[in-house]
């Protein structure tokens, strides 16, 4: 699970990163609201942990901008503002949960797990690689929150590849999917579709790789390790 911590107290931010990483989460941090909004728009996170009293742009305004931009990432507000009025304002602005400082780390993790259970159904309806997202219900691709339109053949190829990012898909399988019921098309045409798709993926945080003898795979551009899971027949 990917968590973004938006907290301007450097000691608390570092402590949260260390504690959450030890518990198996992938955590990044921002220290002001302006930068946080840029990061939230550019990268996909599962949960945002948000302090309300942050410089640049306060947490409530940041939260309102997120929801106005239709960014639905769950937000756990973690703040020293503990009055009923503050809680109501935070939840009305689009917060999904509210925890006051000082807090217990076990309670924080329990709330993170509760949010993750709540969004599990939402996650099952989408496929993600880098900044690229496929909404299964509509079949539409997005980069961040922007639509990513593709011609039918490139779209069919990408739908198959994003279903298992990091796994190789054979050219034969992709050919059958992309050129269904097109008997007069030469097999090499799949390479043309892959070439066009590769160029269009520039800037999406994903890379289309060619694997000799295996086929193609999609992976995140800055993946720490490249693991090939083998070709699908």
């Amino acid at each position: 699970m990917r968590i973004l911590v938006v907290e301007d107290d450097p000691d608390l931010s570092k402590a949260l990163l260390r504690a959450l990483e030890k518990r198996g989460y992938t955590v990044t941090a921002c220290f002001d609201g302006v930068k946080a909004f840029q990061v939230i728009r550019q990268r996909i996170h599962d949960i945002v942990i948000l302090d309300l009293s942050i410089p640049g742009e306060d947490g409530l305004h940041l939260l309102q901008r997120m929801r106005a931009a239709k960014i639905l990432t769950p937000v756990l507000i973690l703040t020293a503002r503990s009055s009923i009025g503050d809680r109501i304002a935070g939840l009305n602005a689009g917060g999904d949960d509210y925890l006051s400082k000082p807090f217990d780390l076990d309670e924080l993790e329990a709330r993170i797990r509760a949010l993750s259970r709540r969004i599990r159904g939402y996650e099952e309806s989408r496929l993600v690689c880098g900044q690229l997202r496929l909404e299964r219900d509509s079949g539409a691709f997005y980069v961040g929150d922007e639509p990513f339109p593709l011609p039918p053949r490139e779209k069919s190829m990408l739908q198959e590849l994003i279903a298992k990012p990091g796994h190789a898909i054979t050219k034969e399988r992709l050919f059958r999917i992309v050129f269904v019921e097109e008997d007069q098309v030469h097999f090499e045409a799949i390479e043309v579709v892959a070439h066009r798709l590769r160029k269009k993926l520039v800037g999406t945080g994903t890379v289309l790789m060619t694997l000799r003898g295996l086929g193609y795979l999609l992976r995140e551009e800055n993946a720490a390790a490249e693991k090939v899971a083998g070709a699908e027949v």
Side-chain angles (χ1 to χ4, degrees):
M1 177 178 289
R2 295 153 295 188
I3 298 176
L4 175 66
V5 174
V6 186
E7 168 62 62
D8 68 322
D9 183 325
D11 293 332
L12 178 57
S13 180
K14 289 177 183 177
L16 278 172
L17 260 67
R18 286 195 301 267
L20 293 173
E21 284 176 348
K22 284 182 179 178
R23 297 181 183 218
Y25 300 103
T26 300
V27 190
T28 53
C30 282
F31 302 99
D32 70 83
V34 175
K35 177 64 176 177
F37 187 70
Q38 294 173 354
V39 171
I40 290 167
R41 285 184 65 90
Q42 293 170 358
R43 305 175 194 169
I44 295 176
H45 297 88
D46 298 295
I47 291 176
V48 175
I49 297 177
L50 176 65
D51 182 16
L52 296 183
S53 301
I54 50 177
E57 179 177 32
D58 71 35
L60 277 182
H61 189 206
L62 170 61
L63 189 49
Q64 290 165 348
R65 286 185 68 195
M66 287 176 60
R67 299 317 187 210
K70 301 191 184 322
I71 300 173
L72 304 179
T73 307
V75 175
L76 169 57
I77 297 171
L78 184 65
T79 180
R81 303 181 192 177
S82 58
S83 72
I84 295 297
D86 288 325
R87 289 174 180 268
I88 292 172
L91 295 173
N92 284 342
D96 296 274
D97 199 356
Y98 199 106
L99 183 60
S100 300
K101 300 174 183 176
F103 61 93
D104 181 83
L105 189 59
D106 288 334
E107 182 181 1
L108 174 63
E109 187 181 18
R111 288 171 181 257
I112 290 172
R113 288 199 302 269
L115 279 178
S116 71
R117 289 193 296 270
R118 192 185 308 172
I119 65 174
R120 196 165 295 152
Y122 170 67
E123 285 187 332
E124 290 174 353
S125 69
R126 65 177 185 170
L127 297 169
V128 176
C129 184
Q131 299 170 37
L132 192 66
R133 182 178 84 254
L134 169 64
E135 296 293 344
R136 283 177 161 171
D137 292 341
S138 65
F141 279 101
Y142 295 84
V143 176
D145 297 299
E146 298 298 321
F148 185 62
L150 289 168
R153 289 174 177 172
E154 285 99 307
K155 184 176 180 180
S156 295
M157 176 179 277
L158 189 55
Q159 285 174 334
E160 183 68 15
L161 290 163
I162 201 172
K164 289 191 175 181
H167 291 244
I169 312 296
T170 63
K171 288 184 180 181
E172 290 79 6
R173 179 180 177 86
L174 290 171
F175 182 83
R176 293 195 300 268
I177 291 168
V178 173
F179 296 104
V180 61
E181 297 182 359
E182 295 187 49
D183 298 331
Q184 304 303 315
V185 179
H186 292 291
F187 180 68
E188 292 75 14
I190 195 66
E191 298 176 5
V192 177
V193 178
H195 175 72
R196 291 173 179 168
L197 179 58
R198 183 180 290 111
K199 289 168 60 176
K200 291 175 180 177
L201 289 174
V202 173
T204 66
T206 61
V207 175
L208 176 58
M209 297 181 64
T210 302
L211 302 174
R212 292 184 180 179
L214 292 177
Y216 298 100
L217 69 77
L218 193 73
R219 71 168 177 87
E220 292 191 18
E221 188 171 19
N222 297 319
E226 299 176 11
K227 296 183 179 179
V228 179
E232 291 189 347
V233 180

